[in-house]
Amino acid sequence: MQIEFEQRGKYLLIQPKGRLDASWSEHFTDTILRQIREGKHHLVIDASEMDFLSSAGIRALLMVYKELSIVQGSFAVSNPTAFVEQTLSTSGFQMWLKKGLPEDLPAAGVGGETDAAENSGIQSFVLNENARLSAAEPADWRPWEVVEKERVQMLTFSKNICALGIGSAAGTFEEARDHFGEFLAAAGNVVYQPPDEQAPPDYLIAEKQFLPRMQCVQALSCKGEMAHLLRFAPTKAIPFYTASALLKHILDQIEGKPAGFVVLGEIEGLVGTALIRSPGRIRENRDMTFPEVRDWLTFCGERSYSHQQALITGIVSRAGATRLPSMPSAPDVATHMHGAVFPYQPLPNGKIDLEIAIAKFFNGPPPLAVMHLTDDDRPAVGLGESALVRGACWFGALENPEVLS
Amino acid sequence: MLKVESISKTFHANTVNEVRALHDVCLTIEDGSFTGIIGTNGSGKSTLLNAVAGTFMPDAGSIHLAGHNITGWPEYKRASLVGRVFQDPFAGTAPDMSIAENVAIAMKRGQHRSLQFAVTRTFRDDVADRVRTLKMGLEDRLDNPIGTLSGGQRQALTLLMATWTRPKLLLLDEHTAALDPKSAAKVAELTKIIIEREKLTALMVTHSMQQAVELPDRIIMMHRGTIVEDYQQERKQRVRVPDLMATFDRVQKRELFDESVAGMLEVQYC
Amino acid sequence: MSLIIGAFTMGLILSLLSLGMFISFRMIRFTDITVDGSITLGASISAVMIVQGYSPWLAVSVSILGGALAGAITGILYTRFKIQEILSGILMMTALYSINLRVMGKSNIPLLDVTTISTGMEGILAKMTGSASKVDILGWQVPVGDLAVFATSGIIAILIACILCAFLFTHAGTALRAAGSNPQMVRAQGVNNKTMIVFGLSMANGLVALAGSLLAQYQGFADVQMGIGMMVWGLASIIIGEALVGKTSIGLTLTGVILGTILFRLLIAIALRWGLNPNDLKLVTALFVFAALVAPAWIGKMSKKVKGGFLHAES
């Protein structure tokens, strides 16, 4: 089987030539899914040279169709041969069949330039000009202080809060003491990494009356609605976006004011660290030095989780404007952000809703990791910063940045 | 019971090629348990096995097996207690000699070798019976030189020889690594059958996570000459290949977490 | 005819050398150069003892022990002191040169009109033939003395070959063979392969010394130089033997080694008869061994029969 692609406007015209049967279906599915991953969400299959379609082939088409429905794309089988037409219509998939090519399909040759401009690079959307976002730091543990019961806060994460910090889902301080680890919260969902290298992350989802609650030793939160959305996708010149590049875009759009943000995107590589021992076990205030620090923190050691999907929440400001630490790679940008890793799922293009987009990940396969993202600027051996390939970034200026100073 | 107490071994000490192959390794293996050792290349897993087998003398520490202090015993003397299968299918048998003669040599392991004829009629029948359990059709080829057999057949025979006189400890050194996938599966299956049937105490080095999960009832992971993980009982039953991979990953992460990382985090972790 | 009987006798005596070397070179795979010294040791011990009036059988026994001791020392140099195998042999061989001179007191001892181990056989033959000095065999007149030596050597060679063959099939013998074939395997099976090397070398050199003892008695003298080149002769014999019968079974190979030695001596006798300068003999033998080692690689068909451990692997 030979598969040819042609970008025509927003459509990707696919011409499979030959038999789509069991021996080719896997190759076909992989090839097409890769295209969807690259942001091609409107597919037209020109089946004029598809000689044969077996049930395995139908299954391949169905998988493509399902993937496209997730991203609100479109799917059509045009100009089918008699055999393909009969097979699809008798097996109940006549809704895919189209007599000819879509009417708004540009002529051949004028090509994908228009589409490329639309779906690559940076796109900015204003979601709600009047949206407000207020910051808070309800718990303010600093490494490596003793965790005091009075300073631990039970926080509830409703749908209008995005947050990051260190905490535990246990009900009381005594139960939580040995289980404080990195967490992040967004749109009523919390994902939390127990301080145990062998344990997978746990997660809590707001449902009906239930709202996730955490005992927090450290928390930074933003309450309210995100005013802006940034969509980013690779171009020939920019194969991926580093964290600092994205944060600079945020700051540029809101005149350098401190902001809260949530990012959902395909990972190029994450760099970060996570607790492997609960701060609740610290017996006295102290500096943690090498090698002892290795018993408390784990470092990723390499750019990790490439091609998975990251959910990142954080707060950004110009360096000096808050007491957030500045990024070594971009000394004028200061941030604190946590990232969670989920198995890859495609995101729809365009203006998408934060709550709906995130809910898909929490209702899908379980998260793989949560970490405190760092910028590894060590000379020669440094891993650099975390970077994303494509995705969405919701953000809004903080109306009360003074709580962070 | 095998009891390895704080053994250390450095090869090429005080030269540029110095390798700390084993560093203060302690290990106790109960009778009747089947333990697998996994680890990266150069982690010391084969070195540990060879230390038990007596291929070299450790720099420090002691090894006790079945109530004997075997630390100073030479390799051939330990053979009275230990059966071995090597990675190289050519290592465990004498290629010019017949199947029956090879088994005869194994039969006398740890015993006096007399001037009686090695391969008698009754012994041949005995060999045929046991070789038949391998289901490889070798029972009809007892007088053929072992050199004419395939790697898998030789490895199966070596396994049979190593367990002919029930050893106190069976050492398997990546014994399926050099075989084609089908033979490897067959030899792995035989290993499990024989160890279970004879209720042997066994120590197996393997490079295959899958094999480590499927065969033994305990997994030890080594890294840089030390034991970094020990999956026993319930933990072993629960462990799967991805868990082992994750553990490797963790061990390596810890390795990469050096002083410069600590310095970087001191500024950024807050 | 006496030429043929002579060659046969010489062949039978030297087949003991070949059998000994078969153990060291083929069974435990040790390139043992001690042979050149230990064959002379056997000859010199026997010559001295026989001249001093000891029983020739006692002399033979002491010779065997002497050879065995020499072999054991080579083995210990190799296993205990970790000296390379060739060098261990060279050291022992060089030491034996002085030892042999010490034993004999001079470089040559003639054995004229003394009792040898074939004397008894001579008596038996004399009775059978009615004290005739020569026997008629197929129309050839053969001296009874020559016939006696021939018979004695034949009996000893065959007896030794049979004992050796039986031994190699015992538990101890299989362990010895395996030690040469795969040292790692025998260690894992509880055999001290170092002991096996020492034991094997001592057995091999015992047989070589036996050959030396018989050779001295047959030739009628012991000479400190007599061992030079013996190793290569033995090697040539083993190669010819293996080419004759192949290496399918031990019994057959041992027979082949004996036949090979005899054939080799016949070839030499014929060559000398045709006018080969005896001084060139060792050169010719060396060339022959060279050809026998290298030819199989050129002539593919031969390789299966003569392939052995004498060529080191190409790296």
Side-chain angles (χ1 to χ4, degrees):
Chain A
M1 160 161 276
Q2 212 183 335
I3 307 173
E4 283 173 13
F5 299 99
E6 196 188 346
Q7 186 74 49
R8 295 234 214 140
K10 70 170 186 173
Y11 294 103
L12 182 69
L13 188 62
I14 302 166
Q15 280 188 298
K17 294 178 181 170
R19 297 164 63 88
L20 184 54
D21 55 13
S23 50
W24 284 105
S25 63
E26 205 163 316
H27 169 67
F28 179 84
T29 319
D30 289 350
T31 312
I32 310 290
L33 290 187
R34 205 177 310 132
Q35 295 291 335
I36 298 174
R37 194 170 201 168
E38 285 171 12
K40 316 283 169 59
H41 292 175
H42 299 278
L43 305 188
V44 177
I45 293 186
D46 179 352
S48 55
E49 289 183 63
M50 196 192 281
D51 308 328
F52 178 78
L53 182 68
S54 72
S55 292
I58 295 177
R59 189 166 168 276
L61 292 176
L62 189 60
M63 281 173 73
V64 170
Y65 174 71
K66 281 186 176 163
E67 195 81 355
L68 285 172
S69 337
I70 295 174
V71 295
Q72 282 119 42
S74 67
F75 180 68
V77 179
S78 294
N79 303 328
T81 53
F83 183 86
V84 171
E85 181 168 15
Q86 200 205 341
T87 312
L88 282 179
S89 49
T90 49
S91 50
F93 294 102
Q94 57 272 54
M95 73 277 197
W96 294 341
L97 293 168
K98 294 279 167 348
K99 269 281 169 287
L101 298 170
E103 285 165 9
D104 56 343
L105 188 81
V110 290
E113 293 309 316
T114 51
D115 184 79
E118 187 185 330
N119 279 332
S120 64
I122 298 271
Q123 286 175 279
S124 296
F125 300 93
V126 176
L127 299 173
N128 177 359
E129 290 216 52
N130 303 319
R132 294 168 152 258
L133 205 55
S134 66
E137 188 177 21
D140 60 352
W141 176 80
R142 294 283 170 272
W144 300 89
E145 299 168 354
V146 173
V147 173
E148 285 156 11
K149 188 176 175 182
E150 310 77 65
R151 288 172 61 194
V152 174
Q153 298 292 321
M154 173 69 90
L155 300 178
T156 303
F157 298 99
S158 53
K159 298 216 170 189
N160 60 350
I161 290 179
C162 69
L164 66 157
I166 296 169
S168 162
T172 65
F173 173 75
E174 281 69 29
E175 286 169 35
R177 181 191 276 273
D178 289 345
H179 304 284
F180 292 123
E182 274 83 6
F183 75 88
L184 64 88
N189 306 287
V190 172
V191 55
Y192 148 76
Q193 175 69 57
D196 174 354
E197 285 180 284
Q198 310 210 28
D202 222 331
Y203 53 102
L204 305 164
I205 304 171
E207 244 167 327
K208 295 184 180 146
Q209 304 302 312
F210 175 78
L211 286 177
R213 281 151 58 93
M214 297 283 286
Q215 295 266 356
C216 299
V217 295
Q218 189 188 70
L220 274 174
S221 72
C222 306
K223 192 171 188 175
E225 196 184 338
M226 296 292 183
H228 300 268
L229 169 64
L230 197 73
R231 293 304 309 260
F232 53 98
T235 62
K236 281 195 182 104
I238 311 167
F240 56 82
Y241 296 84
T242 59
S244 60
L246 286 175
L247 296 179
K248 277 178 183 166
H249 275 290
I250 293 176
L251 291 172
D252 286 350
Q253 293 209 5
I254 51 174
E255 291 137 9
K257 287 183 219 153
F261 64 89
V262 175
V263 183
L264 202 48
E266 185 183 341
I267 298 168
E268 193 272 333
L270 289 191
V271 179
T273 180
L275 287 164
I276 49 175
R277 195 185 281 191
S278 171
R281 293 174 184 244
I282 298 171
R283 296 280 162 262
E284 55 183 336
N285 292 349
R286 54 201 288 215
D287 286 331
M288 202 66 80
T289 51
F290 185 82
E292 196 197 357
V293 66
R294 291 202 301 192
D295 298 331
W296 295 84
L297 286 177
T298 177
F299 180 63
C300 61
E302 58 181 8
R303 298 179 66 80
S304 50
Y305 300 109
S306 181
H307 303 304
Q308 310 286 17
Q309 201 90 14
L311 168 63
I312 299 170
T313 62
I315 288 180
V316 61
S317 76
R318 291 263 185 246
T322 58
R323 47 148 199 77
L324 298 176
S326 64
M327 299 183 82
S329 313
D332 56 330
V333 179
T335 184
H336 185 174
M337 53 187 168
H338 284 187
V341 182
F342 288 87
Y344 178 79
Q345 285 189 50
L347 283 178
N349 287 334
K351 202 158 134 179
I352 55 173
D353 181 71
L354 171 69
E355 201 179 314
I356 296 171
I358 290 178
K360 277 205 183 99
F361 287 90
F362 278 89
N363 292 318
L368 306 170
V370 179
M371 54 176 127
H372 176 120
L373 300 183
T374 56
D375 177 6
D376 184 4
D377 64 323
R378 290 175 295 156
V381 293
L383 305 174
E385 1 170 13
S386 300
L388 301 177
V389 177
R390 62 166 55 78
C393 171
W394 294 266
F395 61 94
L398 298 173
E399 59 179 8
N400 58 340
E402 63 281 0
V403 299
L404 299 173
S405 53
Chain B
M1 190 170 81
L2 171 72
K3 203 163 184 171
V4 173
E5 280 172 340
S6 343
I7 62 165
S8 297
K9 179 72 186 179
T10 304
F11 291 110
H12 317 296
N14 304 320
T15 70
V16 282
N17 297 324
E18 183 172 293
V19 181
R20 286 215 317 191
L22 291 176
H23 182 61
D24 203 23
V25 173
C26 297
L27 175 65
T28 302
I29 292 179
E30 300 296 335
D31 283 339
S33 98
F34 180 7
T35 304
I37 309 179
I38 54 176
T40 44
N41 285 342
S43 61
K45 54 188 196 298
S46 283
T47 312
L48 176 60
L49 205 75
N50 287 336
V52 175
T55 313
F56 59 83
M57 294 296 141
D59 299 335
S62 68
I63 304 171
H64 290 258
L65 177 59
H68 303 276
N69 182 350
I70 62 168
T71 317
W73 287 20
E75 195 178 352
Y76 69 89
K77 195 175 172 193
R78 295 189 197 193
S80 60
L81 305 172
V82 176
R84 287 167 77 189
V85 185
F86 305 94
Q87 175 176 1
D88 179 359
F90 296 87
T93 48
D96 309 334
M97 300 170 71
S98 71
I99 295 178
E101 283 174 328
N102 269 279
V103 177
I105 291 168
M107 183 187 73
K108 283 282 176 184
R109 191 175 58 233
Q111 295 171 34
H112 173 66
R113 289 175 199 270
S114 67
L115 289 176
Q116 286 168 329
F117 284 114
V119 179
T120 58
R121 187 175 292 270
T122 48
F123 176 67
R124 269 185 108 265
D125 293 344
D126 197 10
V127 174
D129 285 345
R130 292 228 214 166
V131 166
R132 197 168 287 122
T133 63
L134 301 179
K135 298 196 179 85
M136 286 178 163
L138 296 177
E139 56 277 11
D140 304 323
R141 300 167 62 182
L142 294 184
D143 295 322
N144 290 21
I146 281 205
T148 62
L149 307 187
S150 73
Q153 290 170 325
R154 295 175 79 155
Q155 216 56 338
L157 270 177
T158 311
L159 187 63
L160 193 73
M161 286 163 59
T163 55
W164 190 276
T165 55
R166 198 172 168 279
K168 297 285 181 204
L169 179 67
L170 175 64
L171 298 179
L172 307 166
D173 188 0
E174 301 204 34
H175 68 306
T176 63
L179 305 178
D180 63 85
K182 207 174 163 193
S183 306
K186 171 84 180 164
V187 170
E189 186 196 336
L190 281 170
T191 307
K192 194 166 178 73
I193 291 173
I194 291 175
I195 287 175
E196 276 174 9
R197 187 181 61 209
E198 308 280 329
K199 297 187 175 54
L200 295 171
T201 312
L203 193 56
M204 172 178 79
V205 169
T206 179
H207 64 292
S208 154
M209 303 287 135
Q210 193 59 41
Q211 204 171 65
V213 167
E214 283 169 7
L215 294 186
D217 42 45
R218 177 178 173 190
I219 304 174
I220 284 167
M221 187 181 287
M222 292 194 68
H223 186 72
R224 299 254 170 147
T226 56
I227 293 176
V228 291
E229 195 57 77
D230 186 353
Y231 293 97
Q232 295 190 56
Q233 290 154 4
E234 299 85 11
R235 278 188 78 215
K236 160 62 182 68
Q237 286 166 19
R238 195 177 65 189
V239 80
R240 294 292 169 264
V241 173
D243 304 324
L244 294 179
M245 300 296 278
T247 308
F248 268 125
D249 194 39
R250 225 160 39 233
V251 168
Q252 267 159 359
K253 269 185 198 168
R254 194 176 159 86
E255 187 111 295
L256 291 167
F257 194 142
D258 58 12
E259 220 162 341
S260 65
V261 173
M264 187 260 298
L265 292 180
E266 205 175 301
V267 182
Q268 294 189 42
Y269 192 79
C270 62
Chain C
M1 186 65 202
S2 73
L3 174 88
I4 296 175
I5 289 280
F8 264 86
T9 310
M10 194 71 163
L12 284 168
I13 290 172
L14 288 180
S15 69
L16 293 166
L17 165 84
S18 306
L19 288 174
M21 283 180 59
F22 180 76
I23 297 173
S24 51
F25 279 75
R26 286 298 197 228
M27 293 289 96
I28 56 170
R29 303 189 190 192
F30 189 100
T31 310
D32 180 24
I33 302 191
T34 323
V35 170
D36 280 13
S38 55
I39 193 164
T40 317
L41 182 67
S44 52
I45 291 175
S46 291
V48 168
M49 288 183 70
I50 289 171
V51 165
Q52 289 186 356
Y54 287 102
S55 147
W57 293 104
L58 180 65
V60 167
S61 307
V62 175
S63 297
I64 294 175
L65 286 179
L69 182 66
I73 293 173
T74 303
I76 289 167
L77 288 179
Y78 173 68
T79 56
R80 180 58 61 95
F81 299 101
K82 313 222 182 300
I83 297 169
Q84 290 172 13
E85 57 180 58
I86 302 263
L87 194 52
S88 305
I90 289 175
L91 287 179
M92 195 58 217
M93 182 187 76
T94 310
L96 280 174
Y97 190 84
S98 296
I99 293 169
N100 290 333
L101 277 173
R102 279 279 174 192
V103 169
M104 294 198 288
K106 50 189 174 182
S107 63
N108 189 306
I109 295 182
L111 291 170
L112 300 168
D113 298 324
V114 290
T115 315
T116 67
I117 51 165
S118 55
T119 310
M121 180 60 77
E122 230 170 296
I124 296 168
L125 285 177
K127 271 184 199 164
M128 284 166 60
T129 56
S131 304
S133 67
K134 290 196 173 175
V135 190
D136 182 88
I137 295 173
L138 304 171
W140 297 82
Q141 292 294 312
V142 181
V144 170
D146 287 3
L147 206 57
V149 181
F150 171 72
T152 313
S153 320
I155 290 167
I156 291 177
I158 290 165
L159 197 66
I160 294 278
C162 289
I163 293 171
L164 183 60
C165 184
F167 167 75
L168 289 174
F169 283 106
T170 63
H171 284 297
T174 44
L176 179 82
R177 280 156 61 203
S181 179
N182 187 342
Q184 186 180 20
M185 174 253 189
V186 293
R187 278 200 302 275
Q189 300 299 348
V191 178
N192 186 347
N193 63 316
K194 292 180 177 173
T195 310
M196 281 296 156
I197 289 172
V198 175
F199 176 65
L201 285 179
S202 111
M203 203 159 86
N205 283 289
L207 285 179
V208 171
L210 170 60
S213 167
L214 297 185
L215 190 61
Q217 297 179 50
Y218 171 64
Q219 289 179 331
F221 67 90
D223 189 287
V224 77
Q225 305 275 10
M226 69 189 279
I228 294 174
M230 280 297 180
M231 195 202 87
V232 179
W233 284 7
L235 215 53
S237 307
I238 292 175
I239 291 170
I240 294 174
E242 285 175 351
L244 283 177
V245 300
K247 296 203 283 186
T248 45
S249 83
I250 291 194
L252 210 55
T253 314
L254 291 179
T255 314
V257 167
I258 296 176
L259 294 179
T261 318
I262 294 171
L263 183 61
F264 181 59
R265 293 314 307 184
L266 274 173
L267 288 174
I268 287 177
I270 291 166
L272 289 173
R273 183 67 172 266
W274 282 354
L276 176 74
N277 184 343
N279 291 340
D280 294 338
L281 198 54
K282 291 194 163 112
L283 173 65
V284 172
T285 313
L287 286 174
F288 167 76
V289 171
F290 167 75
L293 291 177
V294 174
W298 293 342
I299 313 160
K301 278 188 180 174
M302 282 278 283
S303 70
K304 276 176 194 149
K305 278 193 162 181
V306 195
K307 188 172 62 186
F310 297 121
L311 289 178
H312 62 82
E314 282 176 50
S315 52

